């Protein structure tokens, strides 16, 4: 089984990769990132996503653990901040479905990434709330609409324990979760028939 893990060298992605390796040694895992991973891709570019799939060919599962948004007070957001956030966290994932689904084997799955900021009120979190909410809604609707026999889901983790060193000041009062717990949700999706769901790991 061939599994593409976008952002596979990041905090969440590396937890997903290590659990996949532990779970089943026969899984062929391909990690991707702009500078890190087995193959290089910039998910904000449709051409770059197409070039990556042309290189690696068909896969059985696509896991996304990449994409970011600006964290700034709403009054300070610029048009560039909006464009960056929407291109990275939202359109990158939408394109991963639009393009990636063509390279996905029948019965395969695509798992997108949202996050707790869609549900918890975090100072400076409007761009994550906007994009995470859109990703979760898109995954559900895309799973319903797509004709190909594949599954599309969205995992929405709380802030990770491992990221609290960096993000603790933003997430006061929010319970963090270990990256391993969030990673397990991705593995459970791959190994089940779950479809059109937003899986919250809060
Ligand atoms: N950390 C948390 O607490 C947390 C909680 C909930 C949700 N999330 C979400 O989970 C995802 C991963 O978070 P993380 O903390 O693991 O991030 P991270 O440690 O910064 O890792 C992100 C990974 O994605 C790759 N990447 C970033 N931008 C990319 C792009 N445009 N195209 C292709 N690859 C790209 C990076 O590799 P390169 O540098 O080589 O591109 C890196 O491997 C994000 O969407 C984040 O919003 C995180």
């Amino acid at each position: 089984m061939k599994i593409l893990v976008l952002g596979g060298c990041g905090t969440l992605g590396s937890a997903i990769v290590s659990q996949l390796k532990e779970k089943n040694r026969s899984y062929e895992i391909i990690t991707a990132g702009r500078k890190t991973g087995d193959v290089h891709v910039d998910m904000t570019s449709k051409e770059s996503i197409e070039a990556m799939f042309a290189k690696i060919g068909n896969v059985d599962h696509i896991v996304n653990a990449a994409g970011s948004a600006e964290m700034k007070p709403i009054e300070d957001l610029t048009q560039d901040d909006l464009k960056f956030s929407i291109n990275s966290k939202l359109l990158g994932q939408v394109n991963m479905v639009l393009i990636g689904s063509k390279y996905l084997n029948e019965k395969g799955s695509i798992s997108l990434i949202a996050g707790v900021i869609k549900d918890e009120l975090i100072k400076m979190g409007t761009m994550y709330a906007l994009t995470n909410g859109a990703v979760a809604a898109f995954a559900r609707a895309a799973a319903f609409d797509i004709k190909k026999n594949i599954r599309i889901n969205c995992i929405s983790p709380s802030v990770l324990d491992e990221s609290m060193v960096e993000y603790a000041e933003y997430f006061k009062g929010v319970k963090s979760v270990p990256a391993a717990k969030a990673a397990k949700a991705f593995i459970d999706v791959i190994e089940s028939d779950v479809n059109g769901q937003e899986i919250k790991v809060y």
Side-chain angles (χ1 to χ4, degrees):
M1 193 184 279
K2 203 165 152 187
I3 305 170
L4 171 68
V5 184
L6 193 72
C9 296
T11 310
L12 175 59
S14 54
I16 297 168
V17 169
S18 72
Q19 272 187 42
L20 283 169
K21 284 182 178 165
E22 258 172 47
K23 220 44 223 278
N24 194 327
R25 287 185 188 185
S26 71
Y27 286 161
E28 182 193 343
I29 300 158
I30 303 167
T31 54
R34 288 161 304 182
K35 293 186 191 127
T36 56
D38 304 316
V39 284
H40 292 166
V41 64
D42 181 352
M43 67 189 289
T44 62
S45 155
K46 179 178 165 287
E47 291 74 23
S48 178
I49 298 172
E50 272 163 354
M52 174 189 66
F53 280 111
K55 195 170 174 185
I56 65 173
N58 272 32
V59 298
D60 295 293
H61 299 279
I62 299 170
V63 165
N64 186 36
S68 46
E70 279 295 344
M71 288 195 84
K72 276 188 180 177
I74 189 161
E75 296 85 354
D76 297 345
L77 286 171
T78 64
Q79 290 300 307
D80 284 346
D81 295 332
L82 264 65
K83 279 184 202 152
F84 165 76
S85 306
I86 290 169
N87 279 338
S88 179
K89 184 85 196 206
L90 176 58
L91 292 187
Q93 301 207 73
V94 170
N95 274 328
M96 203 53 68
V97 171
L98 299 189
I99 301 164
S101 59
K102 296 182 196 149
Y103 291 89
L104 203 60
N105 291 331
E106 289 286 320
K107 296 187 180 172
S109 76
I110 305 178
S111 296
L112 302 183
I113 178 79
V116 73
I117 306 184
K118 66 184 277 301
D119 291 332
E120 287 277 0
L121 296 175
I122 306 290
K123 285 281 179 199
M124 299 192 256
T126 54
M127 285 299 100
Y128 270 108
L130 172 79
T131 52
N132 285 343
V135 167
F138 169 76
R140 184 166 170 266
F144 176 75
D145 199 41
I146 202 155
K147 292 184 185 72
K148 194 168 177 178
N149 184 17
I150 59 170
R151 298 180 290 115
I152 302 169
N153 293 283
C154 163
I155 316 297
S156 187
S158 186
V159 60
L160 306 177
D161 291 349
E162 291 80 351
S163 301
M164 280 303 262
V165 188
E166 205 180 334
Y167 300 137
E169 62 175 303
Y170 302 111
F171 286 91
K172 286 180 192 137
V174 177
K175 195 176 178 312
S176 60
V177 297
K181 190 173 175 188
K184 186 177 179 298
F186 285 88
I187 280 83
D188 288 347
V189 165
I190 289 175
E191 297 182 338
S192 71
D193 295 323
V194 169
N195 191 23
Q197 300 296 309
E198 178 192 350
I199 295 129
K200 295 183 180 182
V201 188
Y202 296 167

